[in-house]
Amino acid sequence: MHRSLIVLPDDSGQPIVDAIDAAKESLRIKMFLFSDPGLLAAVIAARQRGLQVRVMLNPARRSGEVENQASRKALEDAGVEVADSNPAFDITHEKSLVVDGATAFVHSLNWETKNLTETRDYAVVTSHRHEVDEVVECFDADWNRQTFDPGENSHLIWCNINGRNRVARFIDAAEESLLLQNERYQDEVIIERLVRATRRGVKLHVLARPMHFLKAGKLVEGVEGLRILEDLGAKVHRLKGLKLHAKMMLADGKRAIIGSINLAPGSFDSRRELAIEVHDEAVVTRLQQVADHDWANSRQLDLSDEGLLADLEENEPDVAEMLALGTQNSHPEHHRRHDDHAQNGHKGHHNNH
């Protein structure tokens, strides 16, 4: 029994392709987005070797945008069984693969070429029996439109079942440091747990995406959460070079959570999401190295009024009003603290769209 780590884009999609190529009996794939040609070819080849291959795809985004149609057709034409993910959930955001019922891959990444080549992402590979069995059990339940309940002593972290509780408990157990890589910091319960962590002296390093990546309706919570954490002494940075798509938390350099869960109410309450907690030394050591590298290649996310206005100028003036930016009575200390950033200028900031 072992757990190992795949780091994207460093390791490329090859380890996943290799696992599919080595499969002898069956593949269970549950994916939010699936379009990478190399992975498609590997899955189709597995079907052509006579394996039982079942693929569950999220049918459409909330916007109504349908992104898996071409892949679905290619898979079905090759004789792969394809189903929409369980309609009991707004969205199935889980990204998992089970090979031969014996090895499970829990991903933060979609099977899109950009998640293999341009974004910071992770996958944990586990052969621990209980963990693999849970992924299989949930897959089969969703495939058959049945209820999945891993019970009180669930080995994995599932939304919308135990996700918020497990993530909150993970944060509560941190003693010295917490390093977070996530696209969104919007869930009030989780923000409150992070606040408490900083209050008891835990060093908090937060890697986030620039605010213009957030949908307008989510901006208030997204900005507010990060501003609160920064005001309490957390360091909030954005990645340079790579795009951040990971959903990773590392506590005390000893324990980590990796999976599909954004720290947002929708993820915890209405989506199918999956994450895994790991404490294996080899996995955590490598995660720490990658996290340190990413932190060294990041810069402070400017959350001052000026910085946010520069970042969000395409959405002005609605956003300025929603976030009460640049109003006369905003805190002078906030401006003073960020004056140096303002003077450094944000001229090129909006070119990142």
Side-chain angles (χ1 to χ4, degrees):
M1 292 199 302
H2 76 288
R3 295 189 193 91
S4 59
L5 181 69
I6 300 172
V7 178
L8 281 309
D10 310 35
D11 300 344
S12 81
Q14 200 55 46
I16 303 170
V17 170
D18 290 346
I20 295 169
D21 287 348
K24 303 271 190 293
E25 296 159 20
S26 66
L27 297 174
R28 287 176 175 87
I29 297 160
K30 201 189 289 183
M31 204 49 63
F32 179 59
L33 296 171
F34 183 1
S35 58
D36 178 70
L39 285 163
L40 264 174
V43 170
I44 288 169
R47 176 67 198 109
Q48 287 164 346
R49 294 198 304 277
L51 276 68
Q52 181 191 32
V53 181
R54 288 184 290 167
V55 178
M56 226 180 306
L57 297 173
N58 190 69
R61 289 190 181 231
R62 253 194 220 131
S63 61
E65 198 179 343
V66 180
E67 290 161 299
N68 290 317
Q69 266 174 329
S71 305
R72 183 176 187 144
K73 183 172 182 337
L75 291 164
E76 286 175 339
D77 288 351
V80 173
E81 294 178 74
V82 187
D84 282 346
S85 44
N86 191 338
F89 301 94
D90 280 357
I91 280 177
T92 290
H93 196 238
E94 174 187 341
K95 308 146 195 314
S96 63
L97 160 69
V98 182
V99 177
D100 295 340
T103 309
F105 290 63
V106 178
H107 299 39
S108 71
L109 61 136
N110 291 300
W111 282 6
E112 282 194 293
T113 307
K114 72 172 181 187
N115 281 170
L116 301 170
T117 57
E118 294 171 27
T119 61
R120 171 62 74 222
D121 264 301
Y122 304 97
V124 172
V125 188
T126 177
S127 64
H128 283 252
R129 192 68 260 161
H130 295 305
E131 292 170 347
V132 178
D133 286 348
E134 262 178 45
V135 183
V136 166
E137 197 184 318
C138 181
F139 183 96
D140 292 350
D142 281 349
W143 185 269
N144 297 311
R145 309 301 193 229
Q146 291 160 349
T147 307
F148 165 68
D149 179 10
E152 284 294 293
N153 303 313
S154 160
H155 294 270
L156 298 172
I157 302 169
W158 295 98
C159 297
N160 57 358
I161 301 168
N162 59 14
R164 189 182 274 111
N165 284 350
R166 288 284 299 272
V167 171
R169 253 189 289 170
F170 179 89
I171 294 168
D172 290 348
E175 292 172 358
E176 291 167 17
S177 65
L178 268 171
L179 199 150
L180 275 56
Q181 295 186 341
N182 207 290
E183 289 182 88
R184 298 210 269 284
Y185 297 84
Q186 295 161 340
D187 188 75
E188 289 182 4
V189 175
I190 300 306
I191 295 292
E192 181 245 340
R193 287 320 226 276
L194 291 169
V195 164
R196 287 182 171 200
T198 63
R199 296 292 294 270
R200 59 172 194 274
V202 175
K203 282 199 178 63
L204 188 57
H205 285 75
V206 172
L207 212 49
R209 295 187 78 172
M211 292 298 106
H212 63 256
F213 282 105
L214 293 178
K215 296 189 178 75
K218 307 288 185 198
L219 269 166
V220 174
E221 299 94 320
V223 170
E224 171 189 65
L226 290 174
R227 273 186 153 183
I228 288 168
L229 294 174
E230 189 185 64
D231 284 344
L232 286 165
K235 292 187 160 55
V236 181
H237 280 207
R238 52 172 296 185
L239 200 49
K240 287 193 302 200
L242 285 176
K243 295 191 180 82
L244 180 69
H245 184 258
K247 297 97 178 61
M248 187 275 278
M249 312 175 79
L250 181 60
D252 302 326
K254 292 177 187 160
R255 302 172 298 121
I257 288 179
I258 285 173
S260 67
I261 304 172
N262 283 309
L263 303 177
S267 294
F268 290 119
D269 295 329
S270 60
R271 296 178 165 200
R272 169 70 84 212
E273 306 266 13
L274 168 62
I276 184 169
E277 184 171 339
V278 290
H279 43 76
D280 312 63
E281 200 175 336
V283 171
V284 173
T285 302
R286 179 148 190 233
L287 264 181
Q288 184 73 58
Q289 289 165 349
V290 174
D292 290 345
H293 172 271
D294 285 353
W295 193 256
N297 288 284
S298 69
R299 59 185 161 111
Q300 186 174 357
L301 188 57
D302 188 347
L303 296 170
S304 68
D305 284 11
E306 300 85 354
L308 288 169
L309 286 170
D311 189 8
L312 297 167
E313 59 193 341
E314 287 191 6
N315 299 315
E316 286 190 277
D318 310 348
V319 171
E321 192 156 323
M322 258 179 0
L323 293 168
L325 297 177
T327 48
Q328 292 311 304
N329 55 0
S330 56
H331 293 298
E333 312 88 84
H334 214 92
H335 285 303
R336 265 206 304 281
R337 183 160 44 114
H338 289 293
D339 264 352
D340 50 340
H341 298 298
Q343 280 155 18
N344 293 342
H346 283 281
K347 298 179 187 67
H349 213 63
H350 57 283
N351 296 337
N352 299 350
H353 287 276

